[in-house]
Amino acid sequence: MTAVTVLPDADSTPCVLDRDGVGALVRELRARGRTVVGPTVRDGAVVLAELESADELPYGWGVELEAGHYRIRRRSDTAAFAHSAGPQSWKNFLHPERVRQWSADRGPDGGMTVHAERPEPTSFAFLGVRPCDLRAIQIQDRVMTGGRHRDDAYEERRSGAFLVLVECTEPGATCFCVSMGTGPAAQPGYDLALTEVLDDAGHRFLARAGTARGAEVLRSLPRRPADDVTRTRAREDVEAAAGRMGRTMPPVDLRGLMADSLTAERWDDVAARCLTCGNCTMACPTCFCTTTEDVSDLTGDHAERWRRWESCYDLDFTHLPGGSVRTSPRSRYRQWLTHKLGTWWDQFDSSGCVGCGRCLVWCPVAIDITEEAHALHQEALDRRAEGKDGAP
């Protein structure tokens, strides 16, 4: 990816933007030729979509979350970013779910002409990136560009992306970013960071730059120096959010827990509920698996190859000449969970989970990754108490 200049602390002095300042931010990013993507209300959800104006942000909207449950609701204030993760993540734009790789046409003489897809790279500006999703982007960076098998198309999209992070001040009932060390406070990797503050002094955003290009954009906006009241309120709101997480992971080495739980009885319990639909992998901001499919028209004269997202819950995912390797729901759920929390470390030196809670919300039978981790931990403790092997 193209390197960006990270600012020293002295060059990232916080300032304050009001609501008009956020509007100016969107206009400035668009004037610089960027496609601004951010949250907006559409089809009964807070979704990520291209924004033409900051007026399209979900001012006054919040969400009601639980495992298997998502509803938007009107708030009593005009907060723009007081909602938790929606059905999409930034993966939808950096690693799209379906991409044509090439097409081929057969001419009258029977000869074939192959056309490689070379789409013009989009210069994205992502507005409203949560700290957990920033970590998810960084995890996908490692997967897509950090090894021998680089994804050039991903790198083009990612290297040009301008990230405006928004710290979390109101976590949802399915959030557990504190357990995963990914939020709710900003961590390095953003171009601009905002913290939304609403109190008797008004509606405003504490803003600071994280890169030189972020500072350049910030200097072009109407702003004022950060006052002590705004600084303090912003810090206190983020700290309070850390204590209001809706979920937690067990305070153990999750990698070790997964490795020692391969024969746990709990897998049978979750397998009895799991539909193997793959919703959790589609909603997850770090799942990256793909497959290819070839299609042709009825004449057979035109063919295309597409890359699309794939799920480890699909029987075809591990299909070999002798059949699928993982035929049972137990084996497929176990593969997903042990990879996400355990063997991801072996591949990419990090966890594959960022604590966003999307897999809970969008599971049609409300399977809860944190509940399953706690249950595996309790089973391991019980085994240890009984003097059996397999305890972490």
Side-chain angles (χ1 to χ4, degrees):
M1 293 182 296
T2 303
V4 295
T5 303
V6 179
L7 292 177
D9 291 343
D11 295 326
S12 56
T13 303
C15 60
V16 174
L17 306 177
D18 58 17
R19 181 165 169 169
D20 289 339
V22 173
L25 171 60
V26 174
R27 291 193 297 272
E28 178 66 21
L29 291 170
R30 287 174 57 84
R32 292 171 180 255
R34 294 189 176 276
T35 298
V36 180
V37 177
T40 190
V41 174
R42 184 176 300 171
D43 299 326
V46 178
V47 301
L48 299 176
E50 182 176 352
L51 303 179
E52 296 184 1
S53 164
D55 292 338
E56 297 175 79
L57 290 169
Y59 287 106
W61 286 99
V63 294
E64 177 185 295
L65 303 178
E66 254 306 335
H69 177 85
Y70 178 98
R71 294 290 186 276
I72 59 172
R73 59 176 177 81
R74 272 293 185 184
R75 295 176 54 85
S76 60
D77 56 33
T78 58
F81 299 105
H83 55 271
S84 301
Q88 301 159 298
S89 70
W90 308 99
K91 177 178 77 171
N92 293 66
F93 300 92
L94 295 174
H95 182 46
E97 61 266 35
R98 197 163 183 264
V99 177
R100 187 167 61 187
Q101 297 182 299
W102 52 258
S103 61
D105 293 284
R106 181 165 56 194
D109 60 355
M112 297 293 294
T113 303
V114 178
H115 310 277
E117 287 290 316
R118 299 294 182 192
E120 289 294 323
T122 301
S123 180
F124 284 116
F126 294 155
L127 172 60
V129 178
R130 301 298 184 164
C132 62
D133 277 343
L134 175 61
R135 178 65 65 85
I137 291 171
Q138 293 167 339
I139 289 172
Q140 288 239 307
D141 291 348
R142 174 70 179 84
V143 173
M144 302 295 184
T145 67
R148 292 180 299 161
H149 308 291
R150 303 175 69 85
D151 186 326
D152 294 336
Y154 176 91
E155 189 166 13
E156 286 183 357
R157 298 185 196 99
R158 174 68 177 94
S159 62
F162 186 96
L163 305 184
V164 183
L165 178 140
V166 175
E167 291 188 303
C168 289
T169 57
E170 189 168 328
T174 56
C175 294
F176 56 101
C177 65
V178 170
S179 291
M180 306 311 298
T182 61
Q187 298 183 23
Y190 58 83
D191 292 291
L192 288 178
L194 305 176
T195 310
E196 188 170 26
V197 175
L198 290 92
D199 57 18
D200 293 340
H203 188 180
R204 58 209 186 276
F205 302 83
L206 184 70
R208 59 271 195 205
T211 63
R213 64 183 184 180
E216 181 184 353
V217 169
L218 194 56
R219 284 194 294 268
S220 69
L221 306 178
R223 65 198 188 283
R224 59 180 173 83
D227 56 277
D228 290 340
V229 172
T230 300
R231 288 174 184 257
T232 300
R233 179 61 186 270
R235 183 184 67 253
E236 290 177 347
D237 285 353
V238 174
E239 290 174 352
R244 300 201 314 272
M245 291 289 114
R247 296 290 199 278
T248 64
M249 279 288 185
V252 297
D253 173 16
L254 295 174
R255 182 186 186 186
L257 175 63
M258 294 299 111
D260 292 328
S261 298
L262 299 181
T263 60
E265 295 179 1
R266 181 67 184 188
W267 302 119
D268 292 325
D269 182 278
V270 70
R273 294 173 280 135
C274 179
L275 304 178
T276 66
C277 65
N279 266 18
C280 51
T281 61
M282 299 296 106
C284 178
T286 65
C287 280
F288 59 88
C289 291
T290 60
T291 188
T292 57
E293 59 182 10
D294 295 332
V295 297
S296 65
D297 63 9
L298 293 177
T299 68
D301 291 333
H302 178 80
E304 297 177 350
R305 170 162 289 180
W306 289 78
R307 187 184 73 176
R308 62 171 176 80
W309 289 352
E310 175 63 301
S311 172
C312 54
Y313 285 90
D314 291 345
L315 280 172
D316 287 345
F317 185 80
T318 58
H319 186 79
L320 297 174
S324 177
V325 173
R326 303 187 190 99
T327 58
S328 68
R330 171 191 170 110
S331 63
R332 280 176 271 165
Y333 186 87
R334 184 181 63 182
Q335 158 61 23
W336 177 74
L337 188 63
T338 56
H339 185 216
K340 189 65 58 178
L341 299 180
T343 54
W344 202 291
W345 283 96
D346 301 312
Q347 287 183 282
F348 307 116
D349 300 319
S350 77
S351 173
C353 177
V354 298
C356 68
R358 288 184 178 91
C359 59
L360 287 74
V361 174
W362 301 103
C363 176
V365 292
I367 294 174
D368 181 340
I369 187 176
T370 64
E371 179 185 343
E372 299 311 313
H374 277 285
L376 289 169
H377 175 49
Q378 185 60 52
E379 183 173 337
L381 292 177
D382 293 343
R383 287 174 61 86
R384 184 169 63 187
E386 295 170 3
K388 298 179 180 180
D389 295 333

